[in-house]
Amino acid sequence: MAEDELVAFRKRWKQELTGKKEEQRLNSALLPSCDAVGQSSKEDSKKGYFENFQSLNKASSPSKPEEGDCTKGRRFVSGGGQTAALSKDQPQYVSIAHSLLDGRTSPLLDRIQEERSKRKRQYHNMTDGCRTSLQQQQTQRKLKNDKELVDQLIQDLNEVNDIPFFDIELPYELALKIFRYLNCTELGRCAQVSRAWRVLAEDSVLWFRMCTKAGFHQEASVSASPCWKSTLRDCRNSAKTVCSNWKNRVGSISQLQFELGKVLCDVSSCDNLVLAGYTSGDVRLWDTVHWDSTASYLKNNSLSANSEPRPFVSHVQVNSTVAAAAYEDGCVDLWSIETGGEPIHHYQTPGRIQVLALSSESPVLCSAAGPGVRLDAADDHGYWRTLCQTQLPRPVESLVVVPGRGQQRPLAALSAGDAVYLLDPREEEPQTLHSVYDHPVTCLDASDSHVALGVKRTGWAMHGGGNKIHVYSLETGKPVVSVGNSLGDFSCINLRDSPPHLLVCGNKDRRVRVFDLRAGSSVASLYAHHLGVTSVQADDWKIVSGGGEGLVCVWEMRMGAKLWEMHNRHPVRHVRFNTSTLVTANIPDDKSPRGACITDDDLTAHRRHRGVICHYDFSEEALSQDHILPICRSDYTESHGYNYNIGLAVPYDRLSGSHPWH
């Protein structure tokens, strides 16, 4: 029953639509004729007989319809039709007479109206037919075009979404996940299979993940580059150039000098920042990217600045946000890297600061004066406060702030005698991590998950195999692995900056060793420095070590070959490098050498005893003018500055500010 009603409703709807279309077509055909007839009757009532002959001649072309009375037009049209019917049986003069008797001014008016209406009707019928055919053609063409566009779109989507994999077709997203496991060479081969595979192999998401996995543009997003494939190629070419410069010692070497008469006490560096403390109590900060930075001069606190003589700077530390310095009188100052100038935080301890440590990524400072330990940190608003203070059984010898903890939950590792402690502000007492009687800890370092410490064995324990390096897990507090078997004492360890699962260390037996923590075996053992190794760092292919004789050596880890070396007078106490730069510091042991007074006339003798900081730049732009020190870019006519003739330097003779005779 419901289906019959639906069929009947459809028939009635179709009839209504058909009837409406017919009425609209008839109305469109009658309205122009009425308007034309009304116009002609209005004009003929005002014109004479001979004027109608002229209008008859002009009736051959369709005229523009004007508004008129449609009722009168119908009456004249009917009259014209009767006259035309009688004219077939009667002579022409009879029809003229009838028209005169009817009172019309022109006997030919009916004929003229008939001819005019006929022509108008033919014209409108012709234009209506043309318009209808054009509309039908346009509608058909539009439907055809829409159909073709839809078919093409569906075809394109099918080609993109369905990636052919041999005898099956996979969606684009699933095929993209499969291609994520391929390397650059395999993606290049897949791009040669077909067009669909080429589009998939050159997808930006694949190359963006590959670029970040290789260590380039870690902070970028997918939309940061229009073509990540080209970006990865440029980054790898640049990395190859830098690696070649490292191996061949191609680049610029700069000595970061301060002032005459100042002996270097301690050096710290982080990224492009270098911080140094001197015996005069001065603290100097260098920005190796912007040499003319206004924050390079850091002012002392009023207590240390007004005391005579001014205390030495015993320790300095720097990270990306703050710089810290400890003085011989127990004062500690902190400065902001952005502003410089006056210290933002200051405190003083009763005794001399033995060890100073600063977190590498957050504003957390830890200091030790004898057995007393103090941990300070900045809150979210930038105000510094003391998190905890504690006393250990023995004086603290080594101190490291564990990286990756942040300023909300800092953690520090300390060595005092033969024990290693973990200092957590949330705990009441420090936690003992390692303690073996009469086995002193000689060196200490920590990563975000492990703590490594070198232990000196004495007496009966030497029969067990010599000195060892123990690695503990911070999560469990248990030992993970024990490596090394050396007769000499381990003098330095670098676990934080080493590649994953690798540990590099230096020993007083003149060797640099690299251990694999997964297998517990030695990867490399290099005979480096005859006065012992004082500092060391390694990455995935090279090792940089410094010795007590003042020699800096660069090694290739895989071959175990020395690439090059540089020598200075004093022991190397600081070595730190990144991708393209290297900072080394030769710090003298004697801070008050004999015959090196500031008032001496022979400043050359004093220069031999004050230490030196060297900055090596192996980047592609290392030889550009922007990397030249400000003193070397200055004019030769300046009377103040360093007490040596920079006019003898090359290639600074060709600078724009120099005189022609230089």
Side-chain angles (χ1 to χ4, degrees), residues 467 484-492 505-513 515 525-534:
N467 300 323
N485 186 8
S486 172
L487 297 177
D489 300 339
F490 287 100
S491 55
C492 55
C505 61
N507 199 293
K508 289 185 178 181
D509 63 355
R510 310 175 183 180
R511 288 190 174 272
V512 175
R513 293 177 174 87
F515 295 99
S525 179
L526 309 172
Y527 184 85
H529 308 278
H530 65 274
L531 291 183
V533 184
T534 54

PDB file of all heavy atoms in Angstrom, residues 467 484-492 505-513 515 525-534:
ATOM      1  N   ASN A 467      93.539  -0.896  39.505  1.00  0.00           N
ATOM      2  CA  ASN A 467      92.524   0.148  39.652  1.00  0.00           C
ATOM      3  C   ASN A 467      91.366  -0.069  38.681  1.00  0.00           C
ATOM      4  O   ASN A 467      91.551  -0.523  37.549  1.00  0.00           O
ATOM      5  CB  ASN A 467      93.160   1.518  39.422  1.00  0.00           C
ATOM      6  CG  ASN A 467      94.279   1.789  40.413  1.00  0.00           C
ATOM      7  OD1 ASN A 467      94.186   1.409  41.584  1.00  0.00           O
ATOM      8  ND2 ASN A 467      95.339   2.438  39.946  1.00  0.00           N
ATOM      9  N   GLY A 484      88.240  -1.614  33.366  1.00  0.00           N
ATOM     10  CA  GLY A 484      89.587  -1.137  33.622  1.00  0.00           C
ATOM     11  C   GLY A 484      90.383  -2.094  34.482  1.00  0.00           C
ATOM     12  O   GLY A 484      89.840  -2.805  35.344  1.00  0.00           O
ATOM     13  N   ASN A 485      91.672  -2.100  34.243  1.00  0.00           N
ATOM     14  CA  ASN A 485      92.597  -2.922  35.021  1.00  0.00           C
ATOM     15  C   ASN A 485      93.973  -2.293  34.874  1.00  0.00           C
ATOM     16  O   ASN A 485      94.817  -2.761  34.122  1.00  0.00           O
ATOM     17  CB  ASN A 485      92.585  -4.362  34.514  1.00  0.00           C
ATOM     18  CG  ASN A 485      93.416  -5.291  35.378  1.00  0.00           C
ATOM     19  OD1 ASN A 485      93.883  -4.899  36.441  1.00  0.00           O
ATOM     20  ND2 ASN A 485      93.603  -6.513  34.921  1.00  0.00           N
ATOM     21  N   SER A 486      94.167  -1.189  35.569  1.00  0.00           N
ATOM     22  CA  SER A 486      95.353  -0.383  35.354  1.00  0.00           C
ATOM     23  C   SER A 486      96.133  -0.237  36.645  1.00  0.00           C
ATOM     24  O   SER A 486      95.569  -0.174  37.748  1.00  0.00           O
ATOM     25  CB  SER A 486      94.961   1.001  34.828  1.00  0.00           C
ATOM     26  OG  SER A 486      96.067   1.858  34.774  1.00  0.00           O
ATOM     27  N   LEU A 487      97.456  -0.148  36.497  1.00  0.00           N
ATOM     28  CA  LEU A 487      98.304   0.094  37.650  1.00  0.00           C
ATOM     29  C   LEU A 487      98.316   1.560  38.047  1.00  0.00           C
ATOM     30  O   LEU A 487      98.588   1.893  39.201  1.00  0.00           O
ATOM     31  CB  LEU A 487      99.737  -0.373  37.346  1.00  0.00           C
ATOM     32  CG  LEU A 487      99.905  -1.872  37.084  1.00  0.00           C
ATOM     33  CD1 LEU A 487     101.352  -2.177  36.735  1.00  0.00           C
ATOM     34  CD2 LEU A 487      99.449  -2.701  38.277  1.00  0.00           C
ATOM     35  N   GLY A 488      98.040   2.453  37.098  1.00  0.00           N
ATOM     36  CA  GLY A 488      98.009   3.865  37.402  1.00  0.00           C
ATOM     37  C   GLY A 488      96.643   4.318  37.876  1.00  0.00           C
ATOM     38  O   GLY A 488      95.620   3.633  37.696  1.00  0.00           O
ATOM     39  N   ASP A 489      96.634   5.497  38.466  1.00  0.00           N
ATOM     40  CA  ASP A 489      95.375   6.062  38.950  1.00  0.00           C
ATOM     41  C   ASP A 489      94.617   6.709  37.800  1.00  0.00           C
ATOM     42  O   ASP A 489      95.208   7.375  36.939  1.00  0.00           O
ATOM     43  CB  ASP A 489      95.647   7.113  40.025  1.00  0.00           C
ATOM     44  CG  ASP A 489      96.375   6.531  41.223  1.00  0.00           C
ATOM     45  OD1 ASP A 489      96.312   5.289  41.404  1.00  0.00           O
ATOM     46  OD2 ASP A 489      97.006   7.316  41.957  1.00  0.00           O
ATOM     47  N   PHE A 490      93.303   6.529  37.826  1.00  0.00           N
ATOM     48  CA  PHE A 490      92.464   7.205  36.840  1.00  0.00           C
ATOM     49  C   PHE A 490      92.333   8.671  37.251  1.00  0.00           C
ATOM     50  O   PHE A 490      91.860   8.983  38.352  1.00  0.00           O
ATOM     51  CB  PHE A 490      91.093   6.544  36.748  1.00  0.00           C
ATOM     52  CG  PHE A 490      91.123   5.205  36.061  1.00  0.00           C
ATOM     53  CD1 PHE A 490      91.108   4.033  36.804  1.00  0.00           C
ATOM     54  CD2 PHE A 490      91.180   5.123  34.682  1.00  0.00           C
ATOM     55  CE1 PHE A 490      91.144   2.797  36.184  1.00  0.00           C
ATOM     56  CE2 PHE A 490      91.212   3.886  34.043  1.00  0.00           C
ATOM     57  CZ  PHE A 490      91.197   2.722  34.797  1.00  0.00           C
ATOM     58  N   SER A 491      92.739   9.542  36.347  1.00  0.00           N
ATOM     59  CA  SER A 491      92.788  10.972  36.660  1.00  0.00           C
ATOM     60  C   SER A 491      91.581  11.742  36.157  1.00  0.00           C
ATOM     61  O   SER A 491      91.264  12.809  36.697  1.00  0.00           O
ATOM     62  CB  SER A 491      94.059  11.595  36.084  1.00  0.00           C
ATOM     63  OG  SER A 491      94.155  11.341  34.689  1.00  0.00           O
ATOM     64  N   CYS A 492      90.894  11.277  35.128  1.00  0.00           N
ATOM     65  CA  CYS A 492      89.721  11.983  34.587  1.00  0.00           C
ATOM     66  C   CYS A 492      88.798  10.992  33.897  1.00  0.00           C
ATOM     67  O   CYS A 492      89.254   9.995  33.314  1.00  0.00           O
ATOM     68  CB  CYS A 492      90.141  13.097  33.611  1.00  0.00           C
ATOM     69  SG  CYS A 492      91.188  12.543  32.258  1.00  0.00           S
ATOM     70  N   CYS A 505      88.251   7.776  29.393  1.00  0.00           N
ATOM     71  CA  CYS A 505      88.926   8.158  30.630  1.00  0.00           C
ATOM     72  C   CYS A 505      90.416   8.323  30.372  1.00  0.00           C
ATOM     73  O   CYS A 505      90.959   7.834  29.371  1.00  0.00           O
ATOM     74  CB  CYS A 505      88.692   7.109  31.724  1.00  0.00           C
ATOM     75  SG  CYS A 505      89.314   5.473  31.305  1.00  0.00           S
ATOM     76  N   GLY A 506      91.046   9.038  31.272  1.00  0.00           N
ATOM     77  CA  GLY A 506      92.486   9.234  31.225  1.00  0.00           C
ATOM     78  C   GLY A 506      93.133   8.726  32.487  1.00  0.00           C
ATOM     79  O   GLY A 506      92.521   8.727  33.573  1.00  0.00           O
ATOM     80  N   ASN A 507      94.378   8.304  32.351  1.00  0.00           N
ATOM     81  CA  ASN A 507      95.074   7.671  33.462  1.00  0.00           C
ATOM     82  C   ASN A 507      96.460   8.290  33.610  1.00  0.00           C
ATOM     83  O   ASN A 507      97.006   8.868  32.670  1.00  0.00           O
ATOM     84  CB  ASN A 507      95.187   6.161  33.210  1.00  0.00           C
ATOM     85  CG  ASN A 507      95.475   5.365  34.463  1.00  0.00           C
ATOM     86  OD1 ASN A 507      96.543   5.470  35.047  1.00  0.00           O
ATOM     87  ND2 ASN A 507      94.503   4.562  34.881  1.00  0.00           N
ATOM     88  N   LYS A 508      97.002   8.135  34.808  1.00  0.00           N
ATOM     89  CA  LYS A 508      98.353   8.628  35.036  1.00  0.00           C
ATOM     90  C   LYS A 508      99.424   7.736  34.429  1.00  0.00           C
ATOM     91  O   LYS A 508     100.608   8.086  34.451  1.00  0.00           O
ATOM     92  CB  LYS A 508      98.601   8.754  36.546  1.00  0.00           C
ATOM     93  CG  LYS A 508      97.835   9.904  37.184  1.00  0.00           C
ATOM     94  CD  LYS A 508      98.198  10.065  38.641  1.00  0.00           C
ATOM     95  CE  LYS A 508      97.461  11.246  39.250  1.00  0.00           C
ATOM     96  NZ  LYS A 508      97.812  11.439  40.695  1.00  0.00           N
ATOM     97  N   ASP A 509      99.022   6.600  33.880  1.00  0.00           N
ATOM     98  CA  ASP A 509      99.976   5.744  33.181  1.00  0.00           C
ATOM     99  C   ASP A 509     100.152   6.165  31.717  1.00  0.00           C
ATOM    100  O   ASP A 509     100.618   5.379  30.905  1.00  0.00           O
ATOM    101  CB  ASP A 509      99.542   4.279  33.251  1.00  0.00           C
ATOM    102  CG  ASP A 509      98.212   4.036  32.543  1.00  0.00           C
ATOM    103  OD1 ASP A 509      97.597   5.024  32.089  1.00  0.00           O
ATOM    104  OD2 ASP A 509      97.792   2.876  32.444  1.00  0.00           O
ATOM    105  N   ARG A 510      99.735   7.418  31.388  1.00  0.00           N
ATOM    106  CA  ARG A 510      99.955   8.062  30.092  1.00  0.00           C
ATOM    107  C   ARG A 510      98.997   7.591  29.004  1.00  0.00           C
ATOM    108  O   ARG A 510      99.196   7.921  27.831  1.00  0.00           O
ATOM    109  CB  ARG A 510     101.404   7.830  29.601  1.00  0.00           C
ATOM    110  CG  ARG A 510     102.469   8.154  30.610  1.00  0.00           C
ATOM    111  CD  ARG A 510     103.841   7.787  30.093  1.00  0.00           C
ATOM    112  NE  ARG A 510     104.869   8.028  31.111  1.00  0.00           N
ATOM    113  CZ  ARG A 510     106.160   7.787  30.928  1.00  0.00           C
ATOM    114  NH1 ARG A 510     106.583   7.287  29.781  1.00  0.00           N
ATOM    115  NH2 ARG A 510     107.008   8.036  31.892  1.00  0.00           N
ATOM    116  N   ARG A 511      97.962   6.869  29.344  1.00  0.00           N
ATOM    117  CA  ARG A 511      97.082   6.312  28.317  1.00  0.00           C
ATOM    118  C   ARG A 511      95.666   6.884  28.413  1.00  0.00           C
ATOM    119  O   ARG A 511      95.178   7.207  29.498  1.00  0.00           O
ATOM    120  CB  ARG A 511      97.014   4.782  28.419  1.00  0.00           C
ATOM    121  CG  ARG A 511      98.290   4.096  27.958  1.00  0.00           C
ATOM    122  CD  ARG A 511      98.111   2.606  27.840  1.00  0.00           C
ATOM    123  NE  ARG A 511      99.298   1.979  27.252  1.00  0.00           N
ATOM    124  CZ  ARG A 511      99.495   1.831  25.940  1.00  0.00           C
ATOM    125  NH1 ARG A 511      98.569   2.243  25.089  1.00  0.00           N
ATOM    126  NH2 ARG A 511     100.594   1.264  25.491  1.00  0.00           N
ATOM    127  N   VAL A 512      95.061   6.955  27.234  1.00  0.00           N
ATOM    128  CA  VAL A 512      93.641   7.301  27.096  1.00  0.00           C
ATOM    129  C   VAL A 512      92.902   6.033  26.703  1.00  0.00           C
ATOM    130  O   VAL A 512      93.271   5.367  25.718  1.00  0.00           O
ATOM    131  CB  VAL A 512      93.430   8.403  26.035  1.00  0.00           C
ATOM    132  CG1 VAL A 512      91.944   8.658  25.824  1.00  0.00           C
ATOM    133  CG2 VAL A 512      94.132   9.680  26.454  1.00  0.00           C
ATOM    134  N   ARG A 513      91.861   5.706  27.448  1.00  0.00           N
ATOM    135  CA  ARG A 513      91.130   4.464  27.196  1.00  0.00           C
ATOM    136  C   ARG A 513      89.659   4.757  26.930  1.00  0.00           C
ATOM    137  O   ARG A 513      89.076   5.652  27.546  1.00  0.00           O
ATOM    138  CB  ARG A 513      91.259   3.510  28.385  1.00  0.00           C
ATOM    139  CG  ARG A 513      92.657   2.970  28.611  1.00  0.00           C
ATOM    140  CD  ARG A 513      92.707   2.083  29.846  1.00  0.00           C
ATOM    141  NE  ARG A 513      94.006   1.436  30.016  1.00  0.00           N
ATOM    142  CZ  ARG A 513      95.043   1.978  30.645  1.00  0.00           C
ATOM    143  NH1 ARG A 513      94.910   3.200  31.193  1.00  0.00           N
ATOM    144  NH2 ARG A 513      96.188   1.330  30.750  1.00  0.00           N
ATOM    145  N   PHE A 515      85.987   2.582  26.820  1.00  0.00           N
ATOM    146  CA  PHE A 515      85.362   1.321  27.206  1.00  0.00           C
ATOM    147  C   PHE A 515      83.941   1.256  26.673  1.00  0.00           C
ATOM    148  O   PHE A 515      83.231   2.270  26.614  1.00  0.00           O
ATOM    149  CB  PHE A 515      85.337   1.177  28.736  1.00  0.00           C
ATOM    150  CG  PHE A 515      86.699   1.064  29.364  1.00  0.00           C
ATOM    151  CD1 PHE A 515      87.297   2.173  29.942  1.00  0.00           C
ATOM    152  CD2 PHE A 515      87.371  -0.145  29.379  1.00  0.00           C
ATOM    153  CE1 PHE A 515      88.540   2.078  30.534  1.00  0.00           C
ATOM    154  CE2 PHE A 515      88.623  -0.253  29.969  1.00  0.00           C
ATOM    155  CZ  PHE A 515      89.215   0.860  30.543  1.00  0.00           C
ATOM    156  N   SER A 525      92.899   1.980  23.356  1.00  0.00           N
ATOM    157  CA  SER A 525      93.885   2.330  24.371  1.00  0.00           C
ATOM    158  C   SER A 525      95.023   3.042  23.654  1.00  0.00           C
ATOM    159  O   SER A 525      95.734   2.434  22.840  1.00  0.00           O
ATOM    160  CB  SER A 525      94.390   1.076  25.104  1.00  0.00           C
ATOM    161  OG  SER A 525      95.365   1.426  26.070  1.00  0.00           O
ATOM    162  N   LEU A 526      95.195   4.330  23.949  1.00  0.00           N
ATOM    163  CA  LEU A 526      96.118   5.175  23.205  1.00  0.00           C
ATOM    164  C   LEU A 526      97.191   5.707  24.144  1.00  0.00           C
ATOM    165  O   LEU A 526      96.876   6.247  25.224  1.00  0.00           O
ATOM    166  CB  LEU A 526      95.368   6.350  22.557  1.00  0.00           C
ATOM    167  CG  LEU A 526      94.130   5.983  21.737  1.00  0.00           C
ATOM    168  CD1 LEU A 526      93.387   7.237  21.321  1.00  0.00           C
ATOM    169  CD2 LEU A 526      94.519   5.169  20.519  1.00  0.00           C
ATOM    170  N   TYR A 527      98.441   5.558  23.729  1.00  0.00           N
ATOM    171  CA  TYR A 527      99.550   6.124  24.492  1.00  0.00           C
ATOM    172  C   TYR A 527      99.649   7.591  24.103  1.00  0.00           C
ATOM    173  O   TYR A 527     100.031   7.939  22.981  1.00  0.00           O
ATOM    174  CB  TYR A 527     100.846   5.388  24.172  1.00  0.00           C
ATOM    175  CG  TYR A 527     102.017   5.850  25.003  1.00  0.00           C
ATOM    176  CD1 TYR A 527     102.246   5.311  26.269  1.00  0.00           C
ATOM    177  CD2 TYR A 527     102.879   6.832  24.537  1.00  0.00           C
ATOM    178  CE1 TYR A 527     103.321   5.734  27.046  1.00  0.00           C
ATOM    179  CE2 TYR A 527     103.948   7.262  25.309  1.00  0.00           C
ATOM    180  CZ  TYR A 527     104.169   6.714  26.558  1.00  0.00           C
ATOM    181  OH  TYR A 527     105.235   7.147  27.321  1.00  0.00           O
ATOM    182  N   ALA A 528      99.320   8.495  25.052  1.00  0.00           N
ATOM    183  CA  ALA A 528      99.125   9.882  24.677  1.00  0.00           C
ATOM    184  C   ALA A 528     100.109  10.837  25.327  1.00  0.00           C
ATOM    185  O   ALA A 528     100.849  11.534  24.630  1.00  0.00           O
ATOM    186  CB  ALA A 528      97.687  10.309  25.011  1.00  0.00           C
ATOM    187  N   HIS A 529     100.193  10.906  26.648  1.00  0.00           N
ATOM    188  CA  HIS A 529     100.896  11.989  27.336  1.00  0.00           C
ATOM    189  C   HIS A 529     101.838  11.397  28.372  1.00  0.00           C
ATOM    190  O   HIS A 529     101.419  10.607  29.236  1.00  0.00           O
ATOM    191  CB  HIS A 529      99.881  12.924  28.007  1.00  0.00           C
ATOM    192  CG  HIS A 529      98.811  13.414  27.068  1.00  0.00           C
ATOM    193  ND1 HIS A 529      98.988  14.475  26.217  1.00  0.00           N
ATOM    194  CD2 HIS A 529      97.549  12.965  26.843  1.00  0.00           C
ATOM    195  CE1 HIS A 529      97.886  14.683  25.515  1.00  0.00           C
ATOM    196  NE2 HIS A 529      96.992  13.777  25.878  1.00  0.00           N
ATOM    197  N   HIS A 530     103.091  11.826  28.329  1.00  0.00           N
ATOM    198  CA  HIS A 530     104.106  11.226  29.187  1.00  0.00           C
ATOM    199  C   HIS A 530     104.039  11.748  30.616  1.00  0.00           C
ATOM    200  O   HIS A 530     104.670  11.165  31.510  1.00  0.00           O
ATOM    201  CB  HIS A 530     105.503  11.468  28.606  1.00  0.00           C
ATOM    202  CG  HIS A 530     105.906  12.911  28.562  1.00  0.00           C
ATOM    203  ND1 HIS A 530     105.574  13.735  27.509  1.00  0.00           N
ATOM    204  CD2 HIS A 530     106.600  13.677  29.445  1.00  0.00           C
ATOM    205  CE1 HIS A 530     106.055  14.948  27.733  1.00  0.00           C
ATOM    206  NE2 HIS A 530     106.676  14.942  28.902  1.00  0.00           N
ATOM    207  N   LEU A 531     103.290  12.840  30.889  1.00  0.00           N
ATOM    208  CA  LEU A 531     103.086  13.314  32.258  1.00  0.00           C
ATOM    209  C   LEU A 531     101.673  13.022  32.765  1.00  0.00           C
ATOM    210  O   LEU A 531     101.220  13.610  33.742  1.00  0.00           O
ATOM    211  CB  LEU A 531     103.364  14.823  32.343  1.00  0.00           C
ATOM    212  CG  LEU A 531     104.815  15.241  32.160  1.00  0.00           C
ATOM    213  CD1 LEU A 531     104.962  16.753  32.335  1.00  0.00           C
ATOM    214  CD2 LEU A 531     105.730  14.515  33.147  1.00  0.00           C
ATOM    215  N   GLY A 532     100.980  12.115  32.110  1.00  0.00           N
ATOM    216  CA  GLY A 532      99.634  11.752  32.535  1.00  0.00           C
ATOM    217  C   GLY A 532      98.568  12.555  31.812  1.00  0.00           C
ATOM    218  O   GLY A 532      98.807  13.658  31.319  1.00  0.00           O
ATOM    219  N   VAL A 533      97.384  11.971  31.755  1.00  0.00           N
ATOM    220  CA  VAL A 533      96.241  12.597  31.082  1.00  0.00           C
ATOM    221  C   VAL A 533      95.477  13.421  32.111  1.00  0.00           C
ATOM    222  O   VAL A 533      95.122  12.913  33.188  1.00  0.00           O
ATOM    223  CB  VAL A 533      95.332  11.536  30.441  1.00  0.00           C
ATOM    224  CG1 VAL A 533      94.205  12.199  29.669  1.00  0.00           C
ATOM    225  CG2 VAL A 533      96.136  10.629  29.517  1.00  0.00           C
ATOM    226  N   THR A 534      95.208  14.678  31.757  1.00  0.00           N
ATOM    227  CA  THR A 534      94.521  15.575  32.691  1.00  0.00           C
ATOM    228  C   THR A 534      93.075  15.864  32.295  1.00  0.00           C
ATOM    229  O   THR A 534      92.260  16.193  33.150  1.00  0.00           O
ATOM    230  CB  THR A 534      95.280  16.896  32.801  1.00  0.00           C
ATOM    231  OG1 THR A 534      95.459  17.453  31.487  1.00  0.00           O
ATOM    232  CG2 THR A 534      96.650  16.672  33.419  1.00  0.00           C
TER     233      THR A 534
END
